């Protein structure tokens, strides 16, 4: 998202001035200051002066640019910056308006994002009051604009100071999320659930607490005369390979009643005209909808990645083309059908499967959190980097989690392009909401309707979900029980408000405006039916591994859901990502700065992380070992779960781990860190989410082997099972031809340890299971019979050599003995590898493509290779 600083604006094209309807970013010079009279003025007098501001932006980033605060991510400044969220702030802009705009009969100032309690004044007169960061706010300004010297003023009130008196006055509080450890808000009176702003700003277990304010999305000036098109949408009535029956909705705002001609033109993905329909329309003053039927022969459908092309059509709507009052609007969309299939089974369970264009899709992917604490810093390039990484790791679905904000259109445009399905939460992250308050509900309904309408053109959006974890928190975590014990009548009122908001209001918005995309009331849930977090019905969040009671990762194999929408293990980012964030002398597990970047268990999360590392690998020697082993542990544990989910198809039809990305450089459950560097988990995901994969899952002395095929064509292949010792001596081997049906998981064998090991030493023996296409290895998994800390893993020498394969620079690795968890890095350099975090079978080379802005000799000198044996045997 582009930022405009002091003195920088967009120069509008002169050609636009001649159009009867114009929408353009506001050309303005912005500044900000601490509002006079605010309580924080005495302690922070430097913030009282007018200083340059960026719009879109935020108070924190404007203060940082003015060098009034330190980097909010580096070191441990968080406690000292909480005053910002308690203060009131003022922004102002000066701008001119051209004669063509002033001459139009209608003009609106449009604010796409005001965070959050904002009072807006234009030329000294009140214009609007905003109270929802997730809404677009519009105000008519015709007759109020001047040719030069317009002044726009926006005052932001602290959400904490605004809401706290009312929350404190409540005899019994509704449950919140994460209490502040800094004293800026009482622990027993959290305001986050009462305000419509990104919940993660109040702190989460993977990010800091920075209660933000500011104009976080663009401001624009729209002007028009007789009529304008305010929206275009495409409803699919029927769709298959032969034809598409569509209804195009053209929403028109007219200044007065008139006769008009509406034309809809559809361009195919190659830009050729696929259909043109024109019809008369009788317009009345105000907003109305014109329905235009369109049919296409041999339509090109939009498919999720791996199942077909990501075809997108351009839909262009015009009114009174080639006349002085012409208006036009275009959208880009894809044609697809979507169904959330919930078939009952014989045991009383109910499935949960996404069906796209009639094909059941196993959802493979991760949950997405905001890309930064300060959303205006996230540009389309950053979004493309993370979403492309998801696609490259063979993901086909992302869940946009409900504690952040509704992403920019750029996110969904890129998801459309890449073929990534999007599960979209409404922005409720946890705790409980005051749905019993009619004004709160009305505000949420307006927010929901605006965002559903904005995003409904995107074929990637296949589910709208009411909230994250609110139903299970009420039913399973004690939120409902505790409130019922304190005040039964109020508890009933709170729950009825929840049902009204998430069971009725949002469902109705999606039904009316969502173009057929299904609605789901909460995650996890059974859509308000009995148990909220059930393995036999609905979607599941599973945190008995990592969370409470912190079961071993093998417990993943004993939990078989219909759709796993959350599960996860923590790991630290790459050490290179932490450079400049954590000082070298603070690179210790228990240092104050490291603890400040570990938000789980209020800074004590490294003890939980060590618990999981030590179960498998023992105690790390130092911080680099700790970081490396945390990533190996995370990758191997999530691989176990994901492959179990896939091997349980069709009972299980989705596996979305927590989480894809990071909001800042700190410990988290992500597979990509804040700098965009892949952790070991992301490389593993590329393998365990591959369309063709082998799942060799060992639990309680039995290894179950399944072959996975997510494509719509059968797979003819071979599978091979070899048992060998760590020095490469083969103990046994079997190989079989197989045809794996389309869209299936095929179990091909179960083997006890006794069958595989015979009399071999389990601490020196592994099983290597492979899916083969001729001599090409499609997928490989190594099965271990003992924890790494108990195995006799040799301190293996890994040989490397560089080769040139056409335009590709290739690193070839080989080891005479087994090497587990091999990690390739380059000291002081960044490089893009197409594989990493691998197990090397004895004597079998692996080739890895490397891309870097460095010559081969520099890469060779910077190359660093390590394995699990180095971290264990090196102590």
């Amino acid at each position: 998202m582009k930022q405009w600083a002091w003195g920088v604006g967009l120069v509008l094209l002169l050609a636009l001035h001649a159009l009867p309807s114009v929408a353009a970013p506001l050309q303005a010079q912005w500044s900000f200051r601490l509002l006079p009279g605010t309580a924080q003025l005495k302690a922070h007098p430097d913030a009282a002066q007018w200083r340059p501001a960026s719009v879109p932006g935020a108070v924190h980033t404007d203060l940082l640019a003015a060098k009034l605060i330190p980097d909010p991510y580096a070191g441990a400044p968080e406690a000292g910056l909480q005053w910002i969220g308690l203060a009131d702030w003022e922004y102002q802009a000066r701008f001119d308006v051209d004669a063509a705009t002033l001459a139009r009969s209608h003009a609106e100032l449009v604010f796409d994002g005001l965070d959050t309690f904002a009072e807006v004044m234009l030329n000294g007169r009140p214009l609007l009051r905003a109270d929802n960061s997730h809404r677009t706010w519009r105000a008519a300004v015709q007759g109020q604009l001047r040719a030069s010297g317009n002044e726009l003023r926006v005052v932001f009130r602290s959400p904490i100071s605004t809401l706290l008196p009312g929350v404190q006055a409540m005899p019994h509080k509704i449950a919140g999320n994460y209490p502040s450890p800094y004293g800026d808000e009482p622990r027993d009176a959290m305001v986050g659930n009462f305000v419509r702003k990104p919940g993660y700003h109040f702190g989460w277990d993977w990010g800091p607490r920075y209660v933000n304010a500011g104009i976080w999305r663009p401001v624009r000036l729209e002007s028009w005369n007789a009529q304008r098109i305010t929206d275009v949408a495409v409803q699919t009535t029927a769709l298959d390979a032969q034809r598409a029956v569509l209804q195009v909705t053209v929403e028109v705002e007219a200044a007065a009643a008139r006769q008009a001609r509406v034309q809809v033109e559809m361009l195919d993905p190659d830009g050729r005209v696929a259909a043109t329909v024109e019809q008369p329309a009788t317009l009345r003053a105000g907003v109305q909808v014109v329905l235009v039927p369109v049919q296409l022969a041999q339509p090109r459908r939009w498919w999720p990645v791996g199942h077909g092309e990501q075809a997108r059509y351009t839909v262009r709507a015009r009114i009174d083309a080639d006349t002085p009052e012409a208006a036009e609007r275009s959208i880009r969309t894809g044609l697809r059908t979507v169904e959330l299939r919930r078939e009952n089974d014989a045991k009383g369970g109910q499935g949960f499967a996404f069906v796209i264009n009639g094909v059941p899709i196993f959802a493979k992917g991760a949950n997405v959190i905001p890309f930064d604490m300060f959303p205006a810093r996230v540009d389309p390039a950053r979004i493309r980097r993370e979403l492309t990484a998801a696609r490259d790791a063979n993901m086909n679905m992302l869940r946009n989690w409900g504690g952040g904000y509704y992403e920019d259109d750029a996110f969904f445009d890129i998801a459309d392009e890449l073929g990534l399905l999007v599960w979209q939460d409404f922005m409720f992250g946890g705790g409980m909401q005051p749905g019993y308050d009619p004004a709160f509900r009305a505000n949420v309904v307006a927010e929901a309707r605006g965002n559903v309408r904005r995003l409904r053109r995107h074929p990637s959006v296949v589910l709208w979900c009411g909230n994250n974890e609110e139903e299970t928190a009420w039913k399973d975590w004690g939120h409902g029980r505790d409130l019922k014990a304190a005040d039964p009548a109020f508890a009933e009122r709170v729950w009825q408000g929840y049902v009204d908001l998430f069971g009725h209001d949002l469902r109705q918005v999606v039904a009316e405006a969502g173009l057929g995309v299904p609605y789901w009331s909460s995650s996890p849930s059974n859509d308000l039916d009995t148990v909220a977090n059930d393995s036999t019905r609905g979607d599941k969040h599973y945190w008995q591994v990592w969370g409470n009671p912190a079961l071993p990762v093998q417990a993943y194999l004993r939990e078989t859901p219909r759709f796993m929408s959350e599960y996860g293990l923590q790991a630290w980012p790459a050490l290179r990502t932490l450079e400049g964030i954590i000082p070298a002398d603070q690179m210790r597990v228990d240092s104050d700065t490291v603890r400040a970047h570990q938000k789980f268990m209020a800074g004590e999360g490294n003890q939980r992380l060590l618990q999981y590392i030590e179960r498998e690998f023992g105690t790390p020697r130092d911080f680099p070992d700790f970081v490396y082993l945390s990533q190996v542990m995370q990758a191997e544990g999530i691989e176990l779960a994901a492959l179990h989910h896939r091997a349980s198809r069709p009972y299980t039809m989705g596996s979305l781990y927590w989480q894809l990305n990071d909001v800042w450089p700190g410990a988290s459950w992500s597979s990509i860190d804040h700098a965009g560097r892949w952790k070991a988990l992301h490389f593993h995901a590329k393998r365990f989410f591959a369309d063709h994969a082998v799942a060799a899952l060992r639990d309680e002395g039995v290894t179950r082997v399944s072959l996975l095929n997510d494509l719509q064509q059968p797979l003819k292949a071979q599978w091979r099972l070899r048992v060998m010792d760590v020095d490469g001596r083969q103990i046994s081997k079997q190989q079989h031809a197989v045809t794996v049906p389309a869209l299936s998981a095929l179990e091909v064998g179960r083997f006890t340890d006794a069958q595989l090991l015979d009399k071999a030493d389990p601490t020196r023996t592994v099983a290597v299971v492979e899916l083969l296409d001729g001599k090409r290895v499609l997928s490989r998994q190594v099965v271990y019979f003992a924890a790494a800390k108990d195995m006799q893993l040799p301190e293996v020498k890994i040989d490397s050599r560089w080769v040139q394969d056409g335009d590709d620079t290739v690193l070839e690795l080989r080891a005479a003995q087994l090497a587990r968890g091999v990690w390739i890095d380059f000291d002081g350099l960044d490089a893009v590898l197409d594989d990493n975090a691998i197990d090397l079978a004895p004597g079998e080379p692996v080739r890895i493509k490397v891309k870097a802005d460095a010559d081969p000799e520099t890469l060779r000198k910077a190359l660093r290779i390590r394995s699990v044996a180095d971290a264990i045997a090196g102590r």
Side-chain angles (χ1 to χ4, degrees), residues 211-231:
V211 182
N212 216 340
I215 305 170
W216 72 284
R217 276 183 167 155
V219 183
R220 63 185 187 273
L221 180 61
E222 296 184 0
S223 58
W224 55 287
N225 282 319
Q227 57 194 1
R228 62 175 175 173
I229 299 175
T230 52
D231 191 40

Side-chain angles (χ1 to χ4, degrees), residues 482-769:
D482 294 346
L483 191 57
K484 288 175 186 176
D487 189 337
F490 183 52
E492 177 60 31
R493 188 173 166 223
V494 170
W495 177 245
Q496 186 58 52
Y498 175 95
V499 173
D500 291 342
L501 179 57
F502 296 108
H504 176 268
D505 293 351
L506 296 183
R507 191 184 308 276
Q508 183 173 334
V509 168
V510 174
E512 292 174 351
L515 302 178
V517 170
Y519 173 78
W520 192 245
S521 62
S522 183
S523 180
S525 80
N526 294 313
D527 205 19
L528 283 168
D529 180 17
T530 62
V531 180
N533 197 14
D534 187 354
S535 295
T536 67
R537 300 165 64 88
D539 71 311
K540 178 82 174 181
H541 291 192
Y542 183 69
W543 288 104
Q544 279 70 35
V545 175
W546 179 266
N548 292 317
L551 298 175
V553 295
Q554 288 75 20
Y556 280 134
L557 300 176
R558 300 156 206 162
E559 178 62 42
T560 309
R562 306 314 295 254
F563 191 108
M564 187 71 89
S565 48
E566 276 193 28
Y567 62 101
L569 293 165
Q570 250 201 15
W572 273 80
L575 286 172
R576 188 160 166 78
T577 298
L578 299 176
E579 293 175 1
I581 301 299
I582 299 176
D585 63 355
Q586 288 280 302
M587 292 282 193
R588 305 187 312 276
V589 173
D590 60 350
S591 76
D592 290 342
T593 308
V594 166
R595 286 169 54 85
H597 286 259
Q598 167 60 273
K599 294 302 179 182
F600 183 66
M601 295 171 58
E604 301 295 332
N606 283 337
Q607 298 310 307
R608 179 64 53 83
L609 188 47
L610 278 169
Q611 178 182 344
Y612 275 86
I613 292 171
E614 289 171 345
R615 277 177 179 165
E616 182 65 28
F617 303 103
T619 303
R621 292 173 304 181
D622 53 24
F623 192 73
D625 262 0
F626 170 66
V627 169
Y628 164 69
L629 290 175
S630 76
Q631 291 200 17
V632 177
M633 178 279 301
Q634 179 195 40
E636 293 185 353
I638 298 303
E639 178 174 281
L640 199 68
L643 287 175
H644 170 59
H645 301 152
R646 294 190 65 192
S648 301
R649 179 179 186 156
Y651 184 89
T652 303
M653 284 300 291
S655 183
L656 308 180
Y657 64 73
W658 185 271
Q659 66 211 56
L660 177 71
N661 60 307
D662 270 341
V663 76
W664 79 324
S668 83
W669 295 260
S670 73
S671 61
I672 306 173
D673 72 22
H674 187 256
R677 297 184 174 96
W678 289 24
K679 298 181 184 178
L681 171 55
H682 210 74
F683 288 102
H684 276 243
K686 184 177 181 179
R687 298 191 291 268
F688 65 65
F689 278 152
D691 290 328
H692 298 140
V694 61
L697 305 171
R698 179 180 176 271
D699 186 32
E700 297 180 330
V702 177
T703 298
R704 175 169 55 104
V705 178
S706 299
L707 307 178
L708 313 173
N709 179 14
D710 277 354
L711 299 186
Q712 297 180 45
Q713 304 82 32
L715 170 67
K716 291 185 177 181
Q718 305 87 39
W719 69 276
R720 180 170 68 190
L721 169 59
R722 293 177 291 164
V723 180
M724 65 181 68
D725 67 16
V726 295
D727 295 321
R729 184 178 65 87
Q730 186 167 287
I731 297 168
S732 66
K733 172 185 173 181
Q734 55 179 290
Q735 185 166 332
H736 308 276
V738 66
T739 298
V740 187
L743 305 171
S744 74
L746 177 67
E747 184 176 314
V748 293
R750 295 192 181 209
F751 306 91
T752 65
D753 285 355
Q755 289 173 308
L756 294 175
L757 290 169
D758 194 10
K759 296 179 181 179
D761 182 352
T763 68
R764 288 186 49 78
T765 308
V766 298
V768 180
V769 188

Side-chain angles (χ1 to χ4, degrees), residues 77 204 230 239 242 265 300 316 332 449-450 526 557 583 597 728 792 808 812 847 872:
W204 221 267
T230 52
L239 177 65
Q242 284 69 50
E265 184 179 62
R300 291 164 64 178
R316 184 180 297 148
R332 201 173 186 196
R449 183 171 290 112
N526 294 313
L557 300 176
H597 286 259
Q792 299 180 46
D808 295 326
E812 183 177 282
R847 304 185 101 200
I872 293 178

